[in-house]
């Protein structure tokens, strides 16, 4: 489907958190190569830097920083965004679903005001109310793109104030990582034991999990089990590095190091990954790296939301299970068959975006949408 005069549809892509950027980057790379969609990226300075690293020839939307200012009057900001969407002729808005950032939510409101279809690509299996809400209540896109049937069902079962489409498309991230399995296999002889951290104790205290206690047990158990590999701490992007620097300094004699590699280089440097419930743990598993979630007595089991079984992520609840897993040569992540549902994800997202623009431009485009 093309726009007027056969030109590709113009789609404004926006994101903030790394989870959403993970899903959007493969799409922007594809569209830049194929030209099937004329896309530009809108994001904060940090998001722009991240996407420029991931997407060759990234085209940026020349918009001011005001959409990212949480302190700005949201109603005034939405009106300006809507006017800009209309003036620049954008035919669809595609975003991530950040937990707290305002840019995506304001764009959904602005798109509705401007009569432009909006699609939100959800990257994680929890926090749906936070992802689709702001200080003024619910904030809903026209279409939610879900990475699997479980996510689609969980969103559908919640009571929402207005209808919207839900389309299961798969994960463009997992689709890409499935192609890196051979690279990950090369790390089985030389890679490190990587701890995948996340700010559970500070950002989500109700989960009852302390990431530093988990790391402490991992280091002690690995050494007691005769695992001589370096233990490399990979902080989450939302974590301050200083506490982990202190942790590494205190454990330097046990060959514990802070990760200094760019993320894409860690896949070939990881023998096995241990974490809690971070998306990066799922990424390693999808790439074929043996991965485990190590949590004892989580206060809120709902926090552990990854599809552990389907991704082949081991669930370990005590040091004895962890020691056994480490000593028994952890098995690689799921084979290609387990990732079949994600093959073709970029095709399905592209089709969903084009279908949304087609509905908006048809005589029936004003008909209210329903869940599907």
């Amino acid at each position: 489907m093309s726009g007027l005069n056969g030109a590709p549809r113009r789609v404004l892509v926006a994101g903030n958190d790394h989870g959403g950027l993970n899903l959007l980057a493969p799409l922007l790379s594809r569209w830049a190569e194929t030209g099937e969609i004329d896309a530009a990226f809108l994001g904060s300075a940090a998001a722009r830097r991240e996407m420029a690293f991931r997407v060759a020839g990234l085209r940026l939307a020349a918009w001011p920083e005001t959409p990212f200012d949480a302190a700005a009057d949201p109603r005034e900001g939405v009106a300006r965004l809507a006017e800009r969407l209309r003036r620049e002729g954008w035919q669809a808005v595609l975003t991530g679903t950040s937990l707290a950032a305002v840019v995506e939510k304001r764009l959904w409101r602005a798109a509705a005001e401007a009569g432009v279809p909006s699609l939100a690509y959800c990257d994680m299996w929890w926090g749906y109310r936070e992802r689709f809400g702001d200080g003024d209540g619910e904030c809903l896109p026209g279409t939610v793109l879900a990475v699997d049937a479980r996510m689609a069902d969980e969103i559908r079962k919640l009571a929402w104030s207005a209808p919207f489409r839900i389309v299961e498309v798969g994960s463009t991230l997992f689709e890409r990582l499935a192609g890196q399995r051979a690279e990950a296999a090369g790390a089985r002889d030389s890679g490190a034991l990587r701890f995948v951290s996340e700010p559970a104790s500070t950002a989500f205290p109700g989960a009852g999990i302390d990431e530093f206690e988990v790391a402490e047990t991992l280091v002690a158990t690995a050494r007691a089990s005769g695992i001589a590999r370096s233990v490399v701490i990979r902080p989450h992007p939302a974590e301050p590095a200083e506490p982990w620097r202190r942790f590494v300094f205190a454990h330097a004699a046990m060959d514990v190091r802070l990760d200094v590699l760019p993320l894409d280089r860690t896949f070939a440097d990881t023998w096995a990954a241990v974490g809690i419930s971070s998306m990066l743990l799922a990424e390693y598993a999808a790439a074929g790296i043996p991965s485990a979630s190590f949590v004892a007595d989580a206060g809120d089991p709902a926090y552990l939301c990854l599809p552990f079984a389907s991704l082949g992520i081991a669930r370990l609840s005590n040091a004895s299970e962890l020691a056994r897993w480490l000593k028994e040569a952890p098995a690689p992540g799921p084979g290609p068959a387990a990732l079949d549902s994600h093959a073709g994800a970029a095709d399905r997202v592209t089709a969903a975006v084009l279908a949304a623009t087609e509905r908006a431009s048809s005589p029936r485009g004003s008909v209210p949408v329903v869940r599907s």
Side-chain angles (χ1 to χ4, degrees):
M1 300 176 191
S2 299
L4 294 176
N5 302 318
R9 299 287 185 177
R10 302 192 68 233
V11 177
L12 182 65
V13 180
N16 185 81
D17 292 2
H18 278 252
L21 301 184
N22 284 338
L23 297 176
L24 298 173
L27 295 166
L28 287 167
S29 294
R30 166 182 166 148
W31 296 340
E33 293 176 3
T34 65
E36 61 197 307
I37 286 178
D38 179 13
F41 179 72
L42 177 66
S44 65
R48 293 197 302 270
R49 281 193 295 270
E50 182 66 23
M51 287 300 244
F53 174 78
R54 300 186 189 205
V55 181
L58 177 70
R59 187 162 73 88
L60 299 173
W63 285 28
E65 286 292 318
T66 50
F68 318 104
D69 183 1
D73 183 340
R75 289 164 297 182
E76 180 183 355
V78 165
R80 287 199 301 269
L81 290 172
E83 191 279 331
R84 191 151 192 152
L85 288 170
R86 285 190 293 260
R87 185 176 72 246
E88 297 185 2
W90 295 105
Q91 295 168 289
V93 169
L94 171 65
T95 75
T97 56
S98 301
L99 275 174
V102 298
V103 57
E104 293 134 326
K105 299 173 175 64
R106 290 185 182 173
L107 277 172
W108 302 338
R109 292 188 188 277
E113 186 173 316
V116 174
S118 62
L119 303 94
Y121 201 171
C122 190
D123 64 278
M124 198 60 163
W125 295 265
W126 74 287
Y128 303 122
R129 290 292 186 193
E130 293 80 3
R131 295 177 191 278
F132 302 113
D134 57 17
D136 294 326
E138 285 184 4
C139 186
L140 302 172
T143 299
V144 172
L145 304 178
V147 299
D148 60 12
R150 171 193 156 188
M151 178 183 288
D153 289 342
E154 288 174 348
I155 295 173
R156 189 177 290 111
K157 288 175 181 176
L158 295 174
W160 302 101
S161 62
F164 55 90
R165 285 184 171 82
I166 302 174
V167 182
E168 182 186 341
V169 293
S171 167
T172 56
L173 173 65
F174 290 165
E175 179 182 31
R176 178 178 64 81
L177 290 173
Q180 297 182 198
R181 296 178 62 80
E183 177 185 354
R188 297 294 293 150
D189 296 326
S190 60
L193 173 57
R194 200 164 244 96
F195 175 66
V196 181
S197 183
E198 57 192 276
S201 63
T202 54
F204 310 100
I209 301 170
D210 188 315
E211 60 275 16
F212 288 89
E213 291 180 1
V214 175
E216 185 78 48
T217 304
L218 172 63
V219 172
T221 303
R223 296 301 173 248
S225 301
I227 305 299
R229 297 172 185 271
S230 296
V231 177
V232 176
I233 307 295
R234 181 80 187 184
H236 188 278
E239 287 185 289
E242 187 61 23
W244 284 116
R245 291 192 187 101
R246 293 194 292 267
F247 181 93
V248 167
F249 183 81
H251 296 79
M254 303 178 76
D255 191 19
V256 178
R257 298 185 281 112
L258 193 66
D259 206 339
V260 297
L261 291 177
L263 177 59
D264 60 319
R265 299 295 182 91
T266 65
F267 288 85
D269 183 62
T270 303
W271 169 72
V274 175
I276 301 170
S277 191
S278 166
M279 178 56 76
L280 182 53
L281 196 63
E283 293 179 42
Y284 284 142
I289 295 171
S291 303
S293 171
F294 174 50
V295 177
D297 302 322
D300 181 8
Y303 180 78
L304 305 175
C305 65
L306 293 179
F308 297 101
S310 64
L311 288 174
I313 300 173
R315 297 290 301 276
L316 311 173
S317 60
N318 56 59
S320 296
E321 292 179 355
L322 175 61
R324 188 179 310 114
W325 186 79
L326 290 170
K327 288 189 290 188
E328 292 179 352
L339 299 170
D340 279 351
S341 64
H342 302 288
D347 290 336
R348 290 188 288 274
V349 174
T350 300
V353 171
L354 293 176
T357 66
E358 187 70 12
R359 285 193 300 270
S361 62
S362 71
R364 296 174 57 84
S366 60
V367 176
V369 300
V370 296
R371 292 188 182 94
S372 61

